[in-house]
Amino acid sequence: MKRIAESTVRRLSLYLRFLEEFEAQGHQTISSGELASQGGTTSAQVRKDLSFFGSFGKRGLGYSVSALSASLREILGLGRQWNVIIVGAGKIGAALAQYKGFRERGFKVVGVYDTDSARVGRSLDGVHVKDQRELEGDVAKLKPQIALIAVPAEAAQPLVDRLVKSGVRAILNFAPTPLTVPKGVTLRSVNMALELEILSYALVNADD
Amino acid sequence: MKRIAESTVRRLSLYLRFLEEFEAQGHQTISSGELASQGGTTSAQVRKDLSFFGSFGKRGLGYSVSALSASLREILGLGRQWNVIIVGAGKIGAALAQYKGFRERGFKVVGVYDTDSARVGRSLDGVHVKDQRELEGDVAKLKPQIALIAVPAEAAQPLVDRLVKSGVRAILNFAPTPLTVPKGVTLRSVNMALELEILSYALVNADD
DNA sequence: ATTAGCTTGTGAAATCATTCACAAGACCGC
DNA sequence: GCGGTCTTGTGAATGATTTCACAAGCTAAT
Ligand SMILES: NC(=O)c1ccc[n+]([C@@H]2O[C@H](COP(=O)([O-])OP(=O)(O)OC[C@H]3O[C@@H](n4cnc5c(N)ncnc54)[C@H](O)[C@@H]3O)[C@@H](O)[C@H]2O)c1
Ligand SMILES: NC(=O)c1ccc[n+]([C@@H]2O[C@H](COP(=O)([O-])OP(=O)(O)OC[C@H]3O[C@@H](n4cnc5c(N)ncnc54)[C@H](O)[C@@H]3O)[C@@H](O)[C@H]2O)c1
């Protein structure tokens, strides 16, 4: 299949969230326009996004909320549970480990790792923090598909290398540093200071 | 001035970070190619990004690290301290309040607010948590330019409305819900579950 | 069965972003 | 001062994404 733009995947994920809300409200069908207004986009965009994957609607009627939800879940790979590990049990790592929003969307935290012996052994919402030396062994055993990186910037690249070597193929990084991964591994970074800098830019350029 | 793409602003922010590292290493000049390789982009992209704002380099030589850093800081509005408030002192709000990375980049947390009386009064790294009823008064007094939203999804829109009414013009939202702001206010959202869903998509479509 | 009223799916057009490619400028060594 | 070697700044070309616009399909009402 043709490569799909990340912006499209991002919107599909948003559409799914709105569909679930709609479903909870008891609606049976939804039009591209309604979906668009929720997501801050246009009806044409919604239809174009969906058209890359097939044809899900009924002309004159719209989309079946439940059928489209199911299709989007399928497309996004959310019909299953993903096992996730978190490395770094500091402030942000602990918050992520306890975040209910992940589990609700099918991402289960199966391990949390740290170097600091003061943190190892503690329990974060049912998952107990282990020493990072157990990382490789656990990855081989538990086969988590996704790893979250919540360690200091300078520890991030060596950690990525270990994770990749152990077989992790998708990484979400929170350390504010550029990282490289070999082909075949997907890396995404969330950089919060950078988000604030974009706001800063917007504030000083408010007049345009 | 012509409107600048967000992707450009994002890269400028990254360039600045690399320049600071370069400066710390004692380098005087840097070429677009060196800057590009750090940021995972191309030299042409770097030059084009900068060209929107002026001409900062010397042909044959490259850019003065310190002069370009200063220019980028100016462009991004980072030549000053920004005051930031955080609403919601739960797990993620507390992590953000204690995050050193913000202060290092000129963002100072001047207030943290919550509804929960068990959390009010605690101190998070020097800033003590106040009752959210003090929000409006404090915003009038402290004039924070930026607010971070770390409350449950259902509390987010009413909170945005209060913040906007009080004069906050830039908001970074961590609640996984769509929010609307009037024109003149900048809103950005960080949606971590969505980041994981993009990874999920990448994993199930690894072969393309 | 026909019509009226919606809404989809999709080529074509328009807009936006990135990459190419090269003239022009700067430095260095001789 | 000149030739050689770099590297910038930038139009033009390419590529990607979004928007437009409309034929075609479905429903419901009569
Ligand atoms: N706190 C935030 O809100 C926040 C926000 C954005 C980004 N970040 C980034 O997230 C990362 C962690 O930040 P934090 O505030 O949680 O810091 P922290 O110091 O609270 O936590 C870092 C943890 O990582 C552990 N660690 C260090 N090296 C390790 C390794 N090799 N293996 C396993 N664990 C290791 C430390 O023992 C510590 O517990 C940093 O890169 C930071 O820039 C934090
Ligand atoms: N924990 C995470 O890692 C994480 C990650 C991504 C997004 N989020 C999102 O961030 C938000 C907070 O998550 P959390 O895990 O910190 O939850 P939490 O329950 O630990 O914290 C929420 C806090 O907000 C406070 N609050 C509620 N309504 C408020 C109001 N009107 N004004 C001020 N404070 C109010 C609550 O008292 C509580 O202390 C949620 O929307 C969540 O989806 C959390």
Side-chain angles (χ1 to χ4, degrees), chain B residues 82-168:
Chain B
W82 293 103
N83 289 335
V84 175
I85 59 171
I86 299 177
V87 189
K91 290 180 283 286
I92 192 82
L96 294 168
Q98 297 172 265
Y99 182 39
K100 298 275 184 303
F102 291 152
R103 179 72 81 96
E104 279 165 15
R105 318 249 344 133
F107 300 95
K108 181 179 178 197
V109 176
V110 297
V112 181
Y113 302 87
D114 206 298
T115 29
D116 185 347
S117 58
R119 295 191 198 270
V120 172
R122 291 216 207 143
S123 177
L124 293 172
D125 223 42
V127 183
H128 96 162
V129 180
K130 294 174 124 181
D131 191 290
Q132 50 86 23
R133 278 169 292 188
E134 302 191 42
L135 190 59
E136 278 82 359
D138 279 10
V139 171
K141 199 154 21 108
L142 301 169
K143 300 241 182 294
Q145 298 92 352
I146 301 173
L148 308 193
I149 293 188
V151 300
E154 60 278 11
Q157 184 65 58
L159 175 58
V160 166
D161 297 342
R162 287 173 64 193
L163 289 166
V164 168
K165 205 167 165 195
S166 310
V168 173

Side-chain angles (χ1 to χ4, degrees), chain A residues 133-208:
Chain A
R133 277 169 293 189
E134 302 192 43
L135 190 59
E136 278 82 358
D138 279 11
V139 171
K141 199 153 25 107
L142 301 169
K143 300 241 180 293
Q145 298 91 353
I146 300 173
L148 309 193
I149 293 188
V151 301
E154 60 278 11
Q157 184 67 58
L159 175 58
V160 165
D161 298 342
R162 287 173 65 193
L163 290 166
V164 168
K165 204 166 165 196
S166 309
V168 173
R169 304 279 292 278
I171 296 172
L172 184 57
N173 167 52
F174 290 87
T177 186
L179 298 173
T180 60
V181 290
K183 236 170 92 10
V185 178
T186 306
L187 169 77
R188 298 185 58 77
S189 287
V190 174
N191 188 328
M192 297 178 198
L194 192 139
E195 299 294 330
L196 285 187
E197 294 185 11
I198 297 174
L199 289 181
S200 168
Y201 175 83
L203 284 168
V204 297
N205 295 277
D207 51 306
D208 48 33

Side-chain angles (χ1 to χ4, degrees), chain A residues 24-95:
Chain A
Q25 287 164 26
H27 294 79
Q28 304 280 306
T29 62
I30 189 172
S31 70
S32 57
E34 293 169 288
L35 213 35
S37 69
Q38 283 292 309
T41 181
T42 65
S43 62
Q45 181 79 80
V46 170
R47 295 198 300 278
K48 183 64 90 181
D49 286 340
L50 296 175
S51 77
F52 295 130
F53 298 92
S55 143
F56 305 98
K58 272 210 176 60
R59 289 168 192 227
L61 195 61
Y63 301 87
S64 150
V65 173
S66 62
L68 185 56
S69 298
S71 299
L72 288 181
R73 255 182 239 110
E74 177 67 23
I75 290 166
L76 294 169
L78 301 175
R80 62 211 286 322
Q81 182 187 88
W82 292 103
N83 289 333
V84 175
I85 60 171
I86 299 177
V87 189
K91 290 182 281 289
I92 193 79

